[in-house]
Amino acid sequence: MDDEPVTPAGRLFLQPEMNQIINCAIGFENPIDIEAIKEELSNSLMVKHPRFCSILVRNKKGREYWKKTHVNLDDHIIIHSINCDYHTNKEEKINDFLANFAISSQLSIEKPLWEVHVISELNCVILRIHHALGDGISLMTLFLASCKKLHDNEDYRGNDNNNVEKKKIGKNKFSGFLGILMMIWYTIVFVLGFIGRVLWVRDKKTVVSGGDGVELWPRAVATAKFSLEDMKMVKRAIPNATINDVLFGVISSGISRYLIVQSSHEGLQEELKMTGLAMVNLRKQPGLQEMEKMMKNNSGTRWGNRFGMMLLPIYCHIENEDPLNYVKRAKKMIDQKKQSLEAHFSYAIGNLVMSLFGPKIASMLNHRIVCNTTFTISNILGPSEELTYARNPVTFIRPTSSSLAHAITMHMVSYAGNCNMQILVAKDIIPDSQFLAKCFEDALLEMKNNVAKVID
């Protein structure tokens, strides 16, 4: 088998400024059987996947390729031993591991770019997978292909919630000549805004702003926990709203709460606008994919990094207002974004810059976009049913990533009726990550209570 060139997106994630490793904590109900983990891995699609059984090599010109190699599981399974007693806060310990991984050593290129870190005392495994191997949708689909449903022991094959999201997206698309005009208009407006972000436009400096070099600062991780049913309750109160609309409303409200407490209020006398950088799945089918289809090169759901970027503004207020206004404002903004080709443009222009100028220039431009915005957000719709891996029930799935120049990076995944949002922060800018997580949780509870009062 010939060496396979690394894709343009993969090359971008290998550059020093954008070097990204996905660190995903997976919790288990029972103590971890390391031999069972090894057995499951040895028979899984993961170690047979071309990306997971290849090492990264560079030719004389510096061009990266994937070269097939033998996988020795003992090189990839790393066992940690920690002191843990009855008083230990296991969640904080897991988040400490994730925070350290966000700025710690890179994965060795002497072996395929992934590791499994086992922390038996915490009933937790942390998967470290380089972003060059694939995006969140690809990697989540691959992991779930190795899982079984908890209650009937069948292989997990997909998520029925994908169909719901697909219908809602379809309803938001205009049809006919007017729809084409709106798509052209919004695409022009948002693409010009995107180019402006690359060149000179940047968010106003606040107490949560990052910047060049912040990616090297010490990190902390906190978990904001939401009930998916609570988010759906708020969603139903606003016609045609989606979970993403609710999520962005929660983020707007939560950051407003944080700023009111942490700042001197000087930036909140008037409406304060911040911009988030969101990752958007560009595959035809939203949400999790079918593994078999992802492995076909001619498939619209193919494996790899198939996502674009969107600039999503949020608005923070000092005044107490109807909490649902945050969601309504977020919905209006996201609906306009859906009618544009901004995410597709960002993906296409990234490939073009990579082809014409190489990965260093592409990485520099991406780094500028991060420096000129305030936070990163991603949201993956996970499985609605409880699963097992290596015959051990999975209790949570909580991904985060290597640090960026942002002071706040958020990754949310839903699993079995719950949503966990991992909040990665620069400790010197946001000293109390737990308080920020509580601001988000309280924002959703306030929205839910407001809806409940209307219903009563």
Side-chain angles (χ1 to χ4, degrees):
M1 174 182 163
D2 296 333
D3 294 349
E4 182 180 354
V6 177
T7 62
R11 296 186 72 195
L12 174 65
F13 286 126
L14 291 167
Q15 298 305 303
E17 298 87 352
M18 295 298 294
N19 202 324
Q20 284 290 292
I21 297 171
I22 297 172
N23 304 305
C24 183
I26 301 170
F28 293 94
E29 183 178 307
N30 302 318
I32 294 174
D33 184 338
I34 295 175
E35 291 304 317
I37 293 284
K38 286 184 178 180
E39 180 185 354
E40 190 69 48
L41 278 172
S42 64
N43 296 319
S44 70
L45 291 172
M46 184 170 168
V47 296
K48 299 173 185 176
H49 191 284
R51 292 288 184 276
F52 285 78
C53 59
S54 298
I55 59 172
L56 179 73
V57 296
R58 290 183 172 89
N59 61 18
K60 294 179 180 179
K61 297 181 179 180
R63 186 66 167 84
E64 299 90 348
Y65 291 85
W66 298 115
K67 183 179 182 65
K68 195 79 178 286
T69 189
H70 170 71
V71 176
N72 181 356
L73 286 181
D74 290 333
D75 292 337
H76 293 270
I77 298 177
I78 300 168
I79 301 172
H80 298 263
S81 181
I82 65 172
N83 293 324
C84 191
D85 57 31
Y86 179 78
H87 301 288
T88 300
N89 187 319
K90 293 186 177 182
E91 182 173 292
E92 287 186 6
K93 283 284 188 182
I94 293 170
N95 284 340
D96 286 345
F97 269 95
L98 292 173
N100 290 332
F101 282 145
I103 55 172
S104 67
S105 60
Q106 298 299 314
L107 296 171
S108 171
I109 62 171
E110 301 300 319
K111 62 185 181 183
L113 297 176
W114 59 274
E115 293 175 346
V116 178
H117 292 255
V118 180
I119 316 167
S120 297
E121 293 85 352
L122 303 178
N123 287 9
C124 177
V125 164
I126 297 178
L127 300 181
R128 301 197 75 204
I129 302 173
H130 202 288
H131 219 316
L133 274 63
D135 59 16
I137 294 291
S138 296
L139 300 174
M140 180 69 78
T141 301
L142 179 60
F143 168 71
L144 295 180
S146 301
C147 294
K148 295 183 181 296
K149 296 179 183 178
L150 175 61
H151 297 296
D152 54 19
N153 208 34
E154 291 181 359
D155 291 342
Y156 179 80
R157 296 188 180 279
N159 191 344
D160 294 335
N161 287 340
N162 288 335
N163 296 326
V164 176
E165 292 296 319
K166 187 184 296 185
K167 291 175 185 176
K168 289 193 178 296
I169 291 172
K171 287 181 180 179
N172 287 330
K173 291 184 178 178
F174 284 12
S175 59
F177 183 65
L178 177 60
I180 294 174
L181 287 179
M182 295 299 289
M183 180 191 70
I184 294 172
W185 170 250
Y186 283 127
T187 297
I188 292 173
V189 170
F190 294 140
V191 164
L192 288 176
F194 197 92
I195 294 172
R197 285 285 165 172
V198 177
L199 299 178
W200 76 90
V201 180
R202 68 183 308 159
D203 282 352
K204 182 179 179 180
K205 191 77 173 176
T206 69
V207 296
V208 297
S209 296
D212 186 30
V214 171
E215 64 271 21
L216 303 176
W217 293 14
R219 252 41 190 187
V221 173
T223 305
K225 299 175 184 178
F226 310 112
S227 162
L228 187 57
E229 187 53 43
D230 288 351
M231 300 188 84
K232 288 180 177 179
M233 182 177 177
V234 174
K235 179 184 74 134
R236 288 192 292 266
I238 300 172
N240 299 319
T242 67
I243 292 296
N244 276 333
D245 298 335
V246 176
L247 174 60
F248 266 86
V250 166
I251 290 172
S252 300
S253 177
I255 291 182
S256 294
R257 290 165 178 265
Y258 184 84
L259 288 176
I260 289 170
V261 173
Q262 297 294 330
S263 72
S264 60
H265 295 200
E266 290 178 0
L268 290 175
Q269 295 298 331
E270 297 180 0
E271 187 174 69
L272 177 63
K273 178 182 176 182
M274 295 182 182
T275 310
L277 191 61
M279 308 300 125
V280 181
N281 175 30
L282 296 181
R283 297 173 179 86
K284 293 179 181 179
Q285 176 181 323
L288 299 176
Q289 310 295 304
E290 294 181 27
M291 193 64 207
E292 187 176 330
K293 290 183 179 179
M294 292 196 78
M295 298 309 297
K296 296 179 180 178
N297 289 330
N298 60 350
S299 169
T301 63
R302 71 177 185 269
W303 179 272
N305 285 288
R306 287 285 297 168
F307 67 88
M309 293 187 291
M310 273 188 181
L311 299 174
L312 298 180
I314 64 170
Y315 299 89
C316 302
H317 303 271
I318 192 169
E319 302 89 356
N320 292 322
E321 65 167 339
D322 181 354
L324 293 184
N325 285 344
Y326 288 105
V327 182
K328 293 174 182 177
R329 191 180 290 110
K331 171 179 165 43
K332 181 179 179 181
M333 176 269 297
I334 292 175
D335 283 350
Q336 292 174 352
K337 293 285 182 174
K338 286 178 181 177
Q339 293 175 51
S340 79
L341 298 176
E342 179 185 1
H344 292 273
F345 167 83
S346 69
Y347 181 81
I349 200 67
N351 283 345
L352 180 63
V353 171
M354 183 74 74
S355 301
L356 294 179
F357 304 107
K360 290 185 178 180
I361 298 298
S363 176
M364 180 194 73
L365 295 178
N366 274 271
H367 185 66
R368 283 184 62 86
I369 294 173
V370 174
C371 291
N372 290 342
T373 52
T374 301
F375 63 89
T376 306
I377 177 68
S378 74
N379 178 24
I380 296 179
L381 184 69
S384 59
E385 301 173 81
E386 292 183 277
L387 304 176
T388 67
Y389 183 83
R391 299 179 295 278
N392 198 345
V394 175
T395 55
F396 61 78
I397 303 172
R398 297 175 184 167
T400 185
S401 62
S402 299
S403 58
L404 293 167
H406 284 148
I408 306 176
T409 302
M410 294 168 282
H411 297 276
M412 190 171 88
V413 170
S414 62
Y415 171 64
N418 295 305
C419 299
N420 286 332
M421 185 165 72
Q422 292 295 92
I423 308 165
L424 178 70
V425 303
K427 287 197 294 187
D428 292 342
I429 297 175
I430 300 174
D432 191 350
S433 58
Q434 299 286 348
F435 175 66
L436 179 59
K438 189 176 186 305
C439 286
F440 292 131
E441 292 173 347
D442 290 346
L444 179 61
L445 288 176
E446 185 180 26
M447 293 174 188
K448 173 193 170 185
N449 293 335
N450 184 276
V451 172
K453 289 178 183 178
V454 173
I455 294 175
D456 292 342

